[in-house]
Amino acid sequence: MNEKYNFIEIEKKWQRKWEADGLFKTPDDTDREKYYILEMFPYPSGKLHMGHVRNYSIGDVASRYLRMKGYNVLHPMGWDAFGLPAENAAIKNGIHPDVWTKENMAEMRSQLKELGLNYDWDREVATCTPEYYKWTQWIFIQFFKHGLAYKKKNPVNFCPSCETVLANEQVVDGVCDRCGTPVGKKDLDQWYLKITDYAGKLLDDIEGLSDWPNKVKVMQQNWIGRSYGAEVQFKIEGSEKLLDIFTTRPDTLFGVTYMVLAPEHPLLSELVSGTEYEAKVEEFKDKLQYLSDIDRTSTTLEKDGLFIGRHAINPLNGALVPIYIANYVLMDYGTGAIMAVPAHDTRDFDFAKKYDIEIIPVIDPHNDEIDLENLSEAFVAEGTMINSGAFDGLSNKEGMKKITEFIEKEGFGKATTNYRLRDWLISRQRYWGTPIPMVYCENCGWQPVPEHELPVLLPTDVKFTGKGESPLTTSESFKETVCPICGEKATREIDTMDTFLDSSWYFLRYADPKNSQRIFDKEKVNYWMPVDQYIGGVEHAILHLLYARFFTKFLYDIGEAPTSEPFKRLLTQGMVLKDGKKMSKSVGNVVSPEEIISKYGADTARLFILFASPPEKELEWSDEGVEGSYRFITRVYRLAQRLYDVVVFTPDDAAMELVSEGDKVLNRALNLAVKKVGADIGERYNFNTAISAIMELVNAINKYRDDDGANAALLKRSVCTLITILSPFTPHVCEEIWAEYGHSTSILDEAWPSYDESALLLDTEEIAVQINGKLKAKLVVPSGVGADELVSLALSDEEVSGLVSGKEIVKKIGVPGRLVNFVVKG
RNA sequence: GCCGGAGUGGCGGAAUAGGCAGACGCACCGGACUUAAAAUCCGGCGGUUCGUGAGAACUGUACCGGUUCGACCCCGGUCUCCGGUACCA
């Protein structure tokens, strides 16, 4: 073997050989049990960062392990390749987005290969290729055909810097998710996907995702946000119109003292037109328009409102209550109007105090500390109904049911469910995205492009100015077309799709990535889906994962996808930090993967990043830690060198008799490591403890190696097993050692070793002796003795009997293999 | 505010089912090898107190309390930090 651990040479050599041998290709071998393991595909931004290295190392170790376990493993990689940075680069540097993107893909692909990741590159997909986006367009058309894609004019979130609209989900704290610019409102005609039709299913099915982190499930539940309640119609005094409100608290209907409309409410102008309030209302609306989203949604914003001169009639008791408009009522939730119950709602309470509106308590908390007639804050908890006519005396929970039944019977309302989730705005006024395959005809309206004409190709004669509407308008050839229905002149949709659509189905395409006839072959998808293990950053907990679930459910409903949930098991890995902060250029704490790979090699980079922290947790980068991982690999390499003769000159079938205690100790360490590493990779996904188990095995072998009368067969088996179970983590160096040991096939094609449970027991074991629960002594006993025998063994021990002598033993507890505990008095 | 999670040596972390807290690694300290350094190897390493010493006693998993023979783990309360969400009626 080579003297030195030359990682540069070793890693290059094996990467070339793996590629030449096609080692990572996945057969559609439907006879074997499949395992589909997937990491979230990257945006080709230029270079890999440490987050990628972490994400993909986790997937690589798991997939290598599963393959060695005998599964037919699908482990693909691709590119989420549409998006704004490419277009910005085009504007700035004059490079076409396609060129820029493909250069980045090439660079990052070679970086992924330099990490030794076992991807089947034959299945690579890139969302920006016509072969792929053809099917994204096809899905859009299916949505349209099923009434789930529609165009509507609406005030939408608009990022003035990106010059495009944004989905609700892409506005974070009032600023653009991508560039951080405060988002404004613009009235635009835009395409939406009716994800709200799936709100119930998306929410209900979360329960079945038993192998998802609870955290992600809760985030999705909150995001979808279901509320049960009632819609109630109030008559408006002096008007034929009814005011429809949504409430989750029908039990408080008798406590309504005013009503509030959102300032954008469609009924408003009619209610005030020609009255003295009209001018003031307009002024109020104007004032609100100037507020940015940040201010508008800030909780510190003071409640502000205006009486509009009209009154509504409470359908339960006929009470006349004033109608207001206010900044705290949103048009796009519920009905855009509320009934206000200041006694039992904190927001209504604040507002009522400010405008001196009556407060009527209708729920009695039975609490002396609360003065109902003179509330200092809203009482929002449970209680008994009062001031509520025939409903007095009921618990408010019962009241909720009874009042809802009553309003349904009387015909002025009904029980309803409301979701926080809004429809998904998918139009983007950008070039580098999937063209929306729709055509507008004066006669026939919006029509989908016929499916046999797909894909609608992105035009190449486009100017990138970064200004105005979609760049697609600058194409001479693109816009003009004919109507697929009547054949008259028509125009194409010039907006492109939100890139989240592209990534909402890519995992299905990997099953059959080259199919040009269909979106994918059903049999192949049936075999591979669902994704057994999905791995990616927690930042995708809501958007990507929700959209991917939505697409899968839709494709399932139209008979294309075999499962209604895409991802069986989910692992959200933590961020990579340096000095306690997220690595970022502006902070200047970025450690580049390139740097680490060239200094220590890919094996070290992988090993460190998996060893430093369990996958879900944040990982603090440590240069010293990297050194440590490198040292460990060199230690293994040296050990393998020293045992070279033992390995090659000991026949495989040499008898392995365990004679000495040392033999048994090493054999135990060996079996323990196999057991623990398998469980830690396969079940727990705790790679850090798997690696420490391997380190313990290395220490055990090193300790044993120089013993007199060392057992060659045992040593050989130990070191070969060590290399095998280490190989998923550091594949290059292990492959090198494996080959040096005389193997002509890849270690990846070795079967994962099994272990012998009986080898885990030594002849004797150490038992803790506690007195009153405190550790007082240790006792060596034969392995496997039962509880009673353990107690008597302990009592017959000289030291222990000394400890309890003269005291009354009240209780004796024995726990086999662990401890005995004596409860004593005196 | 609401929802979720976390809090263990100087540091990253371990303890998988209520049973010896601190595995494994980093840093540090001491020793061997070396002319020397690096590398490597061996040993030590939660705290306090006592002891010349091998060692001993006490204490210790954010804090207070509870359940239990026994609690990092379960229960009640408090604090701090992180993440999500935020006028959703």
Side-chain angles (χ1 to χ4, degrees):
Chain A
M1 278 179 73
N2 270 328
E3 266 299 297
K4 231 185 130 250
Y5 167 51
N6 186 338
F7 60 85
I8 296 175
E9 206 172 279
I10 292 173
E11 294 185 353
K12 279 254 152 53
K13 169 178 158 191
W14 287 104
Q15 284 159 12
R16 277 199 206 108
K17 182 147 171 56
W18 292 334
E19 185 149 12
D21 293 351
L23 185 67
F24 303 147
K25 292 208 167 105
T26 323
D28 283 307
D29 177 4
T30 49
D31 292 338
R32 272 196 298 156
E33 199 181 337
K34 67 96 182 180
Y35 198 100
Y36 184 0
I37 180 161
L38 181 67
E39 300 109 52
M40 293 179 183
F41 64 170
Y43 177 77
S45 55
K47 301 247 177 202
L48 294 185
H49 54 68
M50 281 302 173
H52 292 127
V53 178
R54 189 176 196 195
N55 194 171
Y56 304 146
S57 296
I58 293 168
D60 198 60
V61 169
S63 66
R64 284 173 182 268
Y65 166 77
L66 289 159
R67 173 159 167 181
M68 293 169 87
K69 276 294 238 187
Y71 289 95
N72 188 24
V73 176
L74 176 57
H75 186 223
M77 183 41 75
W79 310 98
D80 186 15
F82 272 137
L84 256 181
E87 207 166 327
N88 290 339
I91 295 162
K92 209 170 143 194
N93 307 323
I95 310 169
H96 193 276
D98 189 52
V99 175
W100 185 85
T101 302
K102 292 201 168 133
E103 279 173 4
N104 287 348
M105 277 163 50
E107 169 68 22
M108 289 169 77
R109 191 185 300 113
S110 88
Q111 282 192 294
L112 292 171
K113 287 179 182 175
E114 276 167 30
L115 279 164
L117 303 168
N118 80 108
Y119 295 120
D120 178 359
W121 287 103
D122 285 356
R123 290 179 187 256
E124 178 180 7
V125 301
T127 58
C128 67
T129 58
E131 296 77 31
Y132 183 90
Y133 70 66
K134 170 179 180 176
W135 301 108
T136 310
Q137 292 175 336
W138 182 84
I139 297 172
F140 182 88
I141 290 172
Q142 308 314 308
F143 273 122
F144 182 80
K145 286 182 172 169
H146 286 82
L148 293 170
Y150 64 94
K151 201 163 200 193
K152 128 180 132 175
K153 193 163 194 154
N154 214 24
V156 294
N157 303 310
F158 189 86
C159 172
S161 164
C162 300
E163 293 251 3
T164 187
V165 299
L166 298 170
N168 219 22
E169 285 80 3
Q170 289 162 338
V171 183
V172 178
D173 294 332
V175 304
C176 173
D177 189 28
R178 276 216 110 100
C179 68
T181 310
V183 169
K185 289 278 178 193
K186 216 169 176 175
D187 226 14
L188 286 174
D189 206 21
Q190 301 284 291
W191 285 100
Y192 288 82
L193 288 185
K194 232 182 204 173
I195 191 171
T196 51
D197 268 18
Y198 278 79
K201 273 190 196 172
L202 286 166
L203 188 64
D204 292 339
D205 290 354
I206 289 173
E207 212 178 311
L209 299 172
S210 52
D211 292 323
W212 278 39
N214 191 45
K215 173 185 176 174
V216 174
K217 292 196 279 187
V218 169
M219 278 163 73
Q220 291 217 353
Q221 275 160 355
N222 292 342
W223 189 263
I224 298 168
R226 176 157 53 200
S227 316
Y228 296 107
E231 259 179 50
V232 186
Q233 280 110 39
F234 282 62
K235 284 186 179 145
I236 298 170
E237 193 193 27
S239 165
E240 292 297 293
K241 291 277 156 78
L242 291 170
L243 180 53
D244 203 3
I245 60 98
F246 173 73
T247 179
T248 55
R249 294 293 305 272
D251 53 319
T252 62
L253 255 163
F254 284 86
V256 173
T257 55
Y258 65 99
M259 312 290 287
V260 188
L261 300 183
E264 304 89 350
H265 199 282
L267 221 52
L268 181 59
S269 57
E270 187 181 326
L271 291 179
V272 297
S273 87
T275 71
E276 54 179 306
Y277 292 92
E278 189 172 10
K280 273 197 274 182
V281 166
E282 286 306 319
E283 191 189 324
F284 185 86
K285 284 171 73 172
D286 276 354
K287 196 170 72 185
L288 262 189
Q289 287 227 306
Y290 286 115
L291 278 181
S292 69
D293 250 34
I294 309 179
D295 300 327
R296 180 81 199 268
T297 54
S298 155
T299 34
T300 53
L301 182 69
E302 199 186 323
K303 292 190 175 38
D304 198 8
L306 186 70
F307 176 55
I308 63 163
R310 293 285 203 147
H311 289 84
I313 302 158
N314 189 327
L316 283 195
N317 58 6
L320 216 56
V321 293
I323 303 175
Y324 284 74
I325 54 173
N327 60 355
Y328 76 99
V329 173
L330 309 171
M331 189 58 226
D332 55 0
Y333 183 78
T335 61
I338 62 155
M339 65 179 215
V341 186
H344 304 294
D345 181 283
T346 46
R347 295 152 301 178
D348 297 346
F349 185 88
D350 292 346
F351 192 82
K353 278 282 172 196
K354 179 169 174 182
Y355 292 99
D356 205 18
I357 304 169
E358 192 182 5
I359 297 169
I360 302 175
V362 290
I363 310 287
D364 185 352
H366 303 294
N367 182 340
D368 293 341
E369 286 167 34
I370 296 176
D371 178 6
L372 271 185
E373 294 312 311
N374 204 355
L375 285 167
S376 58
E377 58 180 0
F379 171 71
V380 293
E382 314 254 292
T384 309
M385 314 250 311
I386 52 167
N387 297 333
S388 299
F391 300 94
D392 278 359
L394 294 173
S395 79
N396 72 305
K397 250 184 163 163
E398 263 174 279
M400 238 180 247
K401 246 194 278 168
K402 289 272 152 65
I403 290 187
T404 307
E405 280 167 23
F406 180 75
I407 58 175
E408 278 187 344
K409 198 178 89 210
E410 297 295 318
F412 44 74
K414 60 175 196 292
T416 46
T417 304
N418 245 302
Y419 292 93
R420 212 193 73 114
L421 186 71
R422 311 288 152 82
D423 276 345
W424 177 9
L425 165 54
I426 60 115
S427 300
R428 296 291 179 275
Q429 290 70 51
R430 306 301 310 193
Y431 169 74
W432 195 232
T434 303
I436 296 172
M438 298 296 292
V439 167
Y440 184 73
C441 166
E442 297 264 318
N443 307 318
C444 310
W446 281 104
Q447 295 297 333
V449 171
E451 288 174 25
H452 64 85
E453 286 179 21
L454 296 180
V456 176
L457 289 171
L458 264 179
T460 46
D461 56 336
V462 165
K463 291 188 190 74
F464 301 101
T465 59
K467 297 268 174 296
E469 49 182 357
S470 166
L472 290 189
T473 44
T474 64
S475 164
E476 309 237 329
S477 54
F478 186 76
K479 205 170 169 181
E480 302 297 316
T481 185
V482 290
C483 171
I485 304 289
C486 69
E488 295 288 312
K489 265 194 166 180
T491 54
R492 284 190 195 281
E493 171 62 60
I494 51 157
D495 287 349
T496 54
M497 297 182 202
D498 180 3
T499 57
F500 271 109
L501 277 89
D502 306 316
S503 56
S504 292
W505 70 279
Y506 75 107
F507 41 89
L508 289 154
R509 183 72 178 173
Y510 281 134
D512 189 15
K514 291 183 178 141
N515 199 328
S516 59
Q517 300 307 305
R518 292 188 43 78
I519 181 166
F520 36 69
D521 180 80
K522 274 194 191 167
E523 259 179 46
K524 288 181 179 172
V525 162
N526 283 353
Y527 174 64
W528 286 114
M529 285 297 286
V531 174
D532 295 282
Q533 174 71 61
Y534 198 32
I535 307 164
V538 71
E539 66 274 17
H540 295 109
I542 297 171
L543 298 188
H544 165 60
L545 290 170
L546 189 67
Y547 294 150
R549 293 181 62 224
F550 168 47
F551 265 53
T552 305
K553 286 185 184 306
F554 172 68
L555 290 170
Y556 175 76
D557 286 349
I558 64 168
E560 293 294 335
T563 57
S564 65
E565 284 291 338
F567 312 122
K568 194 158 173 252
R569 185 165 162 173
L570 175 71
L571 185 137
T572 51
Q573 110 248 1
M575 279 195 308
V576 182
L577 309 178
K578 177 92 194 286
D579 311 319
K581 282 181 282 253
K582 189 182 173 175
M583 285 187 185
S584 84
K585 276 182 202 144
S586 57
V587 182
N589 60 347
V590 177
V591 181
S592 83
E594 282 177 309
E595 192 185 312
I596 300 302
I597 291 171
S598 64
K599 200 162 165 199
Y600 301 100
D603 283 340
T604 295
R606 296 165 55 122
L607 188 71
F608 167 72
I609 217 161
L610 294 170
F611 180 57
S613 185
E616 322 78 52
K617 273 192 79 167
E618 291 182 335
L619 182 148
E620 174 67 31
W621 187 265
S622 149
D623 292 333
E624 292 85 3
V626 178
E627 292 272 359
S629 291
Y630 181 77
R631 256 197 314 261
F632 173 72
I633 294 175
T634 57
R635 206 174 292 144
V636 170
Y637 191 80
R638 257 197 321 271
L639 175 65
Q641 260 172 351
R642 289 194 189 130
L643 294 177
Y644 178 80
D645 286 353
V646 173
V647 171
V648 281
F649 295 117
T650 305
D652 283 333
D653 55 358
M656 197 185 77
E657 273 174 66
L658 306 176
V659 184
S660 68
E661 190 62 19
D663 293 351
K664 286 175 188 163
V665 168
L666 176 59
N667 191 47
R668 174 175 188 270
L670 176 63
N671 283 277
L672 201 64
V674 172
K675 179 180 182 178
K676 183 151 173 62
V677 173
D680 282 354
I681 302 177
E683 291 151 37
R684 297 208 310 157
Y685 274 78
N686 271 14
F687 304 101
N688 54 332
T689 51
I691 293 166
S692 49
I694 295 172
M695 288 172 168
E696 281 176 273
L697 176 58
V698 171
N699 293 344
I701 299 173
N702 267 324
K703 203 167 222 162
Y704 177 83
R705 184 167 48 87
D706 302 322
D707 280 10
D708 287 340
N711 181 330
L714 173 63
L715 258 182
K716 174 171 178 170
R717 212 180 119 203
S718 299
V719 71
C720 289
T721 305
L722 162 71
I723 300 307
T724 311
I725 62 177
L726 180 61
S727 70
F729 300 91
T730 60
H732 307 91
V733 66
C734 291
E735 192 83 281
E736 172 74 10
I737 294 167
W738 199 246
E740 290 283 354
Y741 279 178
H743 297 92
S744 53
T745 53
S746 170
I747 197 164
L748 188 55
D749 283 328
E750 289 298 306
W752 189 260
S754 54
Y755 64 92
D756 176 6
E757 195 74 42
S758 67
L760 302 180
L761 271 185
L762 295 175
D763 295 346
T764 58
E765 57 195 7
E766 201 184 48
I767 295 294
V769 180
Q770 298 183 340
I771 305 233
N772 290 340
K774 288 194 176 170
L775 181 68
K776 291 290 172 183
K778 300 235 170 151
L779 193 63
V780 175
V781 301
S783 289
V785 298
D788 294 344
E789 204 184 334
L790 207 55
V791 169
S792 42
L793 274 172
L795 286 174
S796 61
D797 180 81
E798 209 179 311
E799 191 190 355
V800 177
S801 59
L803 284 164
V804 295
S805 74
K807 290 166 183 150
E808 185 198 345
I809 301 179
V810 185
K811 201 167 180 177
K812 304 163 187 166
I813 297 119
V815 182
R818 299 205 185 264
L819 54 73
V820 289
N821 186 16
F822 298 111
V823 185
V824 302
K825 265 201 271 186

